[in-house]
Amino acid sequence: LTALVEMCPGQLVQNRFGDFGHDDIIGKPFGSKIASQCADDGFMYALPAVPHLVATSLQQSTQVLQHWDVGLVLQLLYARSGASIVEAGTGAGAL
């Protein structure tokens, strides 16, 4: 289970593993094991928001690119006639 949560002082994140105070997480190094405030055996790990974790935390697992999506991307790339464009994709719908 992976979820992205913005840390704000004084806030609380709740999930099936327990309650976790943001103040208990802020300032800890990534990879720290954070104990639940209410569940004796509940814990979570504080992880950085790296692209892989962001992509796997999305509710939607794939993204079909519609014509308007492709058009916007080409416009943002300043693609012109004769330009070579290589699409590698993320494979996780993280457009």
Side-chain angles (χ1 to χ4, degrees):
L1 175 68
T2 304
L4 294 177
V5 178
E6 182 179 347
M7 295 288 107
C8 299
Q11 296 292 315
L12 186 73
V13 63
Q14 298 173 313
N15 61 33
R16 64 186 176 143
F17 302 108
D19 298 345
F20 302 91
H22 291 205
D23 295 329
D24 297 336
I25 302 167
I26 295 172
K28 296 277 174 69
F30 291 125
S32 296
K33 186 175 180 178
I34 312 296
S36 170
Q37 293 179 351
C38 67
D40 292 335
D41 58 351
F43 67 90
M44 70 176 199
Y45 290 101
L47 302 174
V50 295
H52 171 73
L53 293 177
V54 171
T56 58
S57 70
L58 297 174
Q59 297 294 325
Q60 185 175 343
S61 61
T62 62
Q63 175 68 43
V64 175
L65 292 178
Q66 301 295 334
H67 297 293
W68 50 84
D69 295 324
V70 174
L72 175 63
V73 170
L74 291 174
Q75 220 176 9
L76 293 172
L77 290 172
Y78 298 104
R80 299 293 177 254
S81 180
S84 295
I85 308 289
V86 178
E87 190 278 320
T90 63
L95 178 60

